[in-house]
Amino acid sequence: MHPVRVSIPSFRSESNSIEKGYTVFRIDVLMNGRQHAVEKRYSEFHALHKMLKKSIKPPEIPSKHVRNWVPKVVEQRRQGLELYLQTIIMENGVLPKIFLDFLNIRHFPSVPKTESCGSFDTESEESSKLSHQPILLFLRDPYLLPTAHDAFSNVVIEGVVHGVFYPDLQPR
């Protein structure tokens, strides 16, 4: 089972003076025991679909054009979009970076770069895959006391030992 789970439990209608009415879908994202929610319009799902087609074969997305906005029709669209997201997760062992961005899931680039991790507009196939790389490597346990042949003594450990066990001794 994939560590990412999504559902779209609800939607709401929005309208303002500039645009005609539109629907906002609430996406609940559960990853590694942490849950957060993101809200997306259908147009954002459609833009995601177009970007995903460059790197994977995404499932069908519900139709862009809906004749009437009665609750039953919007509920069918909600179910279709939920299935769309769940199918992408189930069919891809490695989720594309653009998909993780869409769900506001933090990730690390596969190749360290000085620039940002990429954007919605420019996407290459190798940078669209999530990979895990160690960021720090120890040749031995850093929390163990240094070995006897260590060239440098650990000043912090010596200070604590002297302070706790020999508080009357003066430092060397």
Side-chain angles (χ1 to χ4, degrees):
M1 188 159 113
H2 214 286
V4 178
R5 296 198 342 223
V6 296
S7 64
I8 302 179
S10 62
F11 58 86
R12 70 176 193 284
S13 295
E14 291 281 323
S15 61
N16 59 38
S17 59
I18 301 169
E19 297 179 275
K20 63 180 186 173
Y22 57 90
T23 303
V24 177
F25 297 90
R26 175 191 162 101
I27 306 167
D28 286 344
V29 181
L30 179 65
M31 181 169 179
N32 298 330
R34 294 186 178 183
Q35 184 172 347
H36 69 276
V38 291
E39 292 187 333
K40 302 287 184 180
R41 295 174 59 171
Y42 179 85
S43 58
E44 294 172 282
F45 278 91
H46 194 264
L48 169 71
H49 185 73
K50 285 172 56 177
M51 292 301 297
L52 285 174
K53 288 192 329 190
K54 295 177 182 178
S55 60
I56 65 171
K57 185 178 185 304
E60 288 295 315
I61 190 166
S63 174
K64 183 174 185 171
H65 303 287
V66 176
R67 292 192 186 162
N68 63 20
W69 290 100
V70 295
K72 182 179 178 182
V73 173
V74 180
E75 173 60 20
Q76 288 174 340
R77 179 175 265 193
R78 181 202 66 77
Q79 291 172 358
L81 292 173
E82 182 177 78
L83 181 62
Y84 174 77
L85 295 177
Q86 291 171 347
T87 303
I88 291 170
I89 292 170
M90 288 186 327
E91 291 182 353
N92 295 280
V94 177
L95 296 173
K97 180 182 163 304
I98 194 74
F99 184 75
L100 298 173
D101 288 343
F102 181 81
L103 296 175
N104 287 351
I105 295 176
R106 290 187 181 155
H107 51 86
F108 299 98
S110 57
V111 179
K113 294 181 180 176
T114 55
E115 60 192 30
S116 73
C117 297
S119 71
F120 221 68
D121 299 325
T122 58
E123 195 66 36
S124 67
E125 192 162 328
E126 64 259 0
S127 72
S128 68
K129 304 291 184 190
L130 176 67
S131 71
H132 300 281
Q133 298 176 350
I135 57 169
L136 190 58
L137 179 66
F138 293 103
L139 297 177
R140 61 187 175 100
D141 191 339
Y143 298 104
L144 294 178
L145 291 174
T147 59
H149 63 275
D150 202 350
F152 299 103
S153 62
N154 190 326
V155 178
V156 174
I157 292 176
E158 282 185 11
V160 171
V161 169
H162 283 268
V164 171
F165 296 107
Y166 309 107
D168 298 331
L169 281 179
Q170 296 296 319
R172 317 183 217 171

